[in-house]
């Protein structure tokens, strides 16, 4: 993230509330489109209205990066202040904020990063890719925002609530939960738009002894999915070095469970299919 100042322009004291309302709406459109992080401040400064935001990537300020809703909100801002907002980063964008999905061997969707960052990463370098740079639809980016918000809320409930801990964990760890289905649909949309294989990270915390854990099968298709260790550095660029499991068919990746708990290990494992009785 890059701490950035957005100067909107001067305002009459009697119009500050109106100005702040318009700016909130505008920044909300940028947030939903993956251009800025969720934490921002709007303040009066030297007769102007200024916002401090975390820009999530190079080009976040460009008109072409705005969603259709963002462009509409920008028109309202320009009509009110008589000018376009002026963006000024407090430092140059470092190389990682110029990261792109292009030429990536694979991508993956994972929320275990800073609260403000994008959930999409390159599989070879783990660079975070801002969603506003991915050629999915505006609606799909908006859906991604709500998916990410729900995921992080459930993650917080799992960590901080004893009474709802396991209910939240089941939703996070089950590939067929509504949350996982929405995330996997987003992966499909990203893969369709970019042509780059895109995987969904499936949480795994409660599991079995390491030897048994490595043998567990993909919860989607039931086939083996343990990642083979690369034989050389060149091979490592083609594999999921960060994950213990990868299913190419189901587009799922995961880790070995850090907690041995046989009671809850079945969560996220393949559902057993009952054997059919042979007709006589």
């Amino acid at each position: 993230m890059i701490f950035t100042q957005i100067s909107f322009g001067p305002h009459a004291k009697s119009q500050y509330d109106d100005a702040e309302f318009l700016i909130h709406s505008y920044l909300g459109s940028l947030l939903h489109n993956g251009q800025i992080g969720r934490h921002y401040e709007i303040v009066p400064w030297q007769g102007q209205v200024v916002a401090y935001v975390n820009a999530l990537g190079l080009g976040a300020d460009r008109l072409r990066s705005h969603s259709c809703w963002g462009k509409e909100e920008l028109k309202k801002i320009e009509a009110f202040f008589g000018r376009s907002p002026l963006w000024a980063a407090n430092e140059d964008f470092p190389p990682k904020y110029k990261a792109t999905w292009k030429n990536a061997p694979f991508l993956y969707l994972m929320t275990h990063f800073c609260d403000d960052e994008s959930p999409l990463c390159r599989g070879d370098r783990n660079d975070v890719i801002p969603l506003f740079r991915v050629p999915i639809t505006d609606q799909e980016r908006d859906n991604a925002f709500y998916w990410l918000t729900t995921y992080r809320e459930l993650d917080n409930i799992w960590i901080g609530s004893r009474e709802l801990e396991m209910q939240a964990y089941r939703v996070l760890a089950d590939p067929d939960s509504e949350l996982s289905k929405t995330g996997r649909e987003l992966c499909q949309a990203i893969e369709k738009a970019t042509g780059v294989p895109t995987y969904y990270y499936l949480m795994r915390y409660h599991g079995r002894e390491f030897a048994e854990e490595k043998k567990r099968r993909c919860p989607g298709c039931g086939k083996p999915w343990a990642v083979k260790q690369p034989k050389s550095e060149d091979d490592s660029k083609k594999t999921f070095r960060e994950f213990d499991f990868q299913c190419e068919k189901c587009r799922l990746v995961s880790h070995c469970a850090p907690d041995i708990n046989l009671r809850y290990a079945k969560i996220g494992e393949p559902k057993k299919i009952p054997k059919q009785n042979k007709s006589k």
Side-chain angles (χ1 to χ4, degrees), residues 97-138:
Y97 289 102
K98 301 176 184 178
T100 175
W101 52 267
K102 295 179 181 178
N103 300 318
F106 45 82
L107 304 169
Y108 64 89
L109 200 65
M110 185 178 183
T111 66
H112 293 56
F113 294 101
C114 179
D115 186 50
D116 260 355
E117 289 192 349
S118 168
L120 184 65
C121 302
R122 285 181 68 111
D124 51 355
R125 301 194 299 264
N126 296 327
D127 291 340
V128 178
I129 310 299
L131 286 178
F132 76 83
R133 290 225 206 103
V134 182
I136 53 179
T137 67
D138 293 342

Side-chain angles (χ1 to χ4, degrees), residues 41-170:
E41 293 290 338
I42 302 172
V43 295
W45 182 71
Q46 295 184 351
Q48 297 193 34
V49 190
V50 174
Y52 293 96
V53 307
N54 289 314
L56 298 188
L58 184 66
D61 59 326
R62 295 174 183 169
L63 181 61
R64 67 183 183 186
S65 298
H66 288 50
S67 67
C68 58
W69 302 293
K71 291 174 182 177
E72 288 299 317
E73 295 300 330
L74 179 59
K75 289 179 181 178
K76 297 176 185 178
I77 290 288
E78 292 172 335
F80 185 88
F81 289 100
R83 73 176 207 191
S84 298
L86 302 177
W87 293 55
N90 69 334
E91 59 179 303
D92 292 333
F93 280 91
K96 72 174 185 176
Y97 289 102
K98 301 176 184 178
T100 175
W101 52 267
K102 295 179 181 178
N103 300 318
F106 45 82
L107 304 169
Y108 64 89
L109 200 65
M110 185 178 183
T111 66
H112 293 56
F113 294 101
C114 179
D115 186 50
D116 260 355
E117 289 192 349
S118 168
L120 184 65
C121 302
R122 285 181 68 111
D124 51 355
R125 301 194 299 264
N126 296 327
D127 291 340
V128 178
I129 310 299
L131 286 178
F132 76 83
R133 290 225 206 103
V134 182
I136 53 179
T137 67
D138 293 342
Q139 185 60 60
E140 286 167 337
R141 285 193 207 94
D142 195 52
N143 294 343
F145 170 80
Y146 285 110
W147 166 81
L148 182 57
T149 299
T150 302
Y151 193 107
R152 286 175 173 161
E153 288 175 349
L154 283 167
D155 197 32
N156 289 332
I157 292 172
W158 171 55
I159 294 172
S161 172
R162 292 184 178 181
E163 293 182 355
L164 299 176
E165 177 183 345
M166 291 316 301
Q167 290 94 317
Y169 176 72
R170 287 180 187 277

Side-chain angles (χ1 to χ4, degrees), residues 185-202:
E185 288 172 359
L186 176 59
C187 289
Q188 292 172 5
I190 293 171
E191 180 167 339
K192 181 179 179 181
T194 63
V196 180
T198 305
Y199 291 75
Y200 182 77
Y201 174 76
L202 192 64

Side-chain angles (χ1 to χ4, degrees), residues 17-63:
D17 288 344
D18 294 334
E20 190 175 51
F21 177 81
L22 289 173
I23 293 172
H24 271 299
S25 297
Y26 174 61
L27 296 181
S29 70
L30 303 183
L31 171 61
H32 283 233
N33 201 48
Q35 292 164 261
I36 65 172
R38 64 184 63 235
H39 302 295
Y40 61 80
E41 293 290 338
I42 302 172
V43 295
W45 182 71
Q46 295 184 351
Q48 297 193 34
V49 190
V50 174
Y52 293 96
V53 307
N54 289 314
L56 298 188
L58 184 66
D61 59 326
R62 295 174 183 169
L63 181 61

